[in-house]
Amino acid sequence: MQFLLAFLVAAPLLGAVAALLPAPPGLKGRSPEQAVLRHGVTVTGVILAAAIALALGFDHDAPARFQATTDISWIPALDVRIHLGVDGISLPLLLMTALLFFLCALYSYFKLPAGPSPKAFVALLLVLESGTLATFAVLDLLLFFLAFEMVLIPMYFLIARWGGAQRQAAAWKFILYTLLGSVVMLLGLLLIGVTADTFDMVALASDNGRELSRTTQLLAVLAIGLGLAVKTPMWPLHTWLPDAHTAAPTVGSVLLAGVLLKMGTYGFVRILLPVTPEGMAAFAPYLGAFAVVGIVYGSLACLALARKGNKGDLKRLIAYSSVGHMGFVLLGIASMSPTGVNGALFANIAHGLITGLLFFLVGALKDRYGTADLDTLAGATGAALYGRAPRFGALLAFAAVASLGLPGLAGFWGEMLALFGAFDPAEGLPRPAFLTYTAVGAFGTLLTAAYLLVVVRRVCMGDPKTGPELTVADVQHYEFAAWTPLVALTVLAGLWPALLLGLTDPAVQQLLAGGNS
């Protein structure tokens, strides 16, 4: 178990180095490009297998305890340690990360985005995987920061070199926003570590903020929360996200929405809630307010993009929907209650699965029609996917109803639990304010249903016998392989939520009561 977790973090880096080396003569296949893409599928597949083995070996009777731990002194002068561990909060995120990277590598093997060398693409993908897995596995504040920052450069190049129109501007906006937020976050992490005389996240969580004064906690929450809010992204710090998603290649959008956004909300749960509870309680009402504004704002932006004549880009629409969905995650965290935090963690996983599937589908739709412009796709009679590509249309409709929170699918439970948590927030928080947030959030679910149903009507319905595009390829074999696991897990999590909540709830209960020990 100890080896498996360290392997998960280190193996993608070794795979990235190997991707840049010449392929052995017997493994080149039809071309060197095919060999390096196959290498990417192999490495991410091995990482996924290791993550599944880690989950199978995990002691499910003690999900609140850190398992598979490694604790080695790294920088003695600063008491910085290579400290790794996994509990019921981080295990689902590790599994989802490994799965999404494997599916993206598999999809890219058959549909590589236009751009420079495939070697560089695969190497960047694997460096990105290492950084995201490390973020969910490390238990030292400075290591968390390093892992948090490690993903910026590979994602910048994936957008800037393999993206679409306006990719340079979108990539610069992405990295400038996140770097500025990270600088402030580092100051907050250093403030906690220097004041408490340790950077160990387990010790800090167990102490539950007793070594930190109220002023220190307030400053730490303000600084760290700002950096995490940019990555989440929280309204009004979200403006980099629509541009990045619109310009990114399909797999870049999938990973950005499915994995990178979760790093911000994970930091709120893993660091701020247990380490600075007094500071979080002071800022929680404001965090809840920003969360519900994001829910409504994201939905209204999607409705505007979906309206006829507005030339709305489907990738941009799904990006704005992420602002709304992550608002529910932030609302659950702001409630500081076990129900709300469990809902936030569940919504994290549900959003990763469903929005990852949506970006896969919209990317494939753009490949087929040459555009993601909703007005162009709708045309005079609609793209008519139900008639021209019935399996594709059915999958798009499934992803849409899952995203709007249909009961029985994964999207329902996270949003419902987040609203329940806001309805009954932690003791000491202003309940009238959180009741208002609950009502606004519930209204946001109606707006979500409205824009997603408009999209399904305009893209999937229409007369397939008319219009300029009469032949549209239905779901291909590689698309089926890449998308089916996301569909299956969306249904499984919706029908059997205890599978996920059984992992997160004991860990959340102990985290809020004073951290893991």
Side-chain angles (χ1 to χ4, degrees), residues 266-417:
Y266 175 77
F268 276 104
V269 174
R270 177 63 76 202
I271 299 173
L272 293 184
L273 281 178
V275 177
T276 57
E278 192 175 354
M280 270 297 291
F283 281 105
Y286 304 102
L287 180 62
F290 283 122
V292 295
V293 171
I295 292 171
V296 175
Y297 171 82
S299 299
L300 291 176
C302 289
L303 275 173
L305 289 169
R307 190 178 302 160
K308 185 177 180 180
N310 281 2
K311 293 290 181 182
D313 186 285
L314 263 181
K315 290 187 73 175
R316 196 173 188 85
L317 186 147
I318 303 302
Y320 273 110
S321 78
S322 291
V323 176
H325 288 305
M326 297 310 290
F328 283 102
V329 178
L330 290 172
L331 180 61
I333 293 170
S335 74
M336 298 184 68
S337 67
T339 302
V341 176
N342 274 301
L345 294 171
F346 201 107
N348 254 348
I349 300 299
H351 179 264
L353 297 173
I354 297 167
T355 307
L357 177 60
L358 275 170
F359 275 116
F360 267 135
L361 291 165
V362 172
L365 191 67
K366 186 175 182 178
D367 290 337
R368 284 160 168 77
Y369 282 91
T371 181
D373 181 79
L374 191 54
D375 286 342
T376 304
L377 289 171
T381 62
L385 285 182
Y386 287 152
R388 292 175 181 158
R391 286 180 294 177
F392 196 106
L395 278 173
L396 184 60
F398 170 84
V401 297
S403 185
L404 64 83
L406 184 74
L409 298 176
F412 170 75
W413 295 105
E415 294 182 3
M416 184 193 72
L417 290 173

Side-chain angles (χ1 to χ4, degrees), residues 3 72 152 222 465 474 476:
F3 167 77
I72 304 170
L152 299 185
L222 189 61
K465 297 179 181 179
D474 212 337
Q476 305 296 299

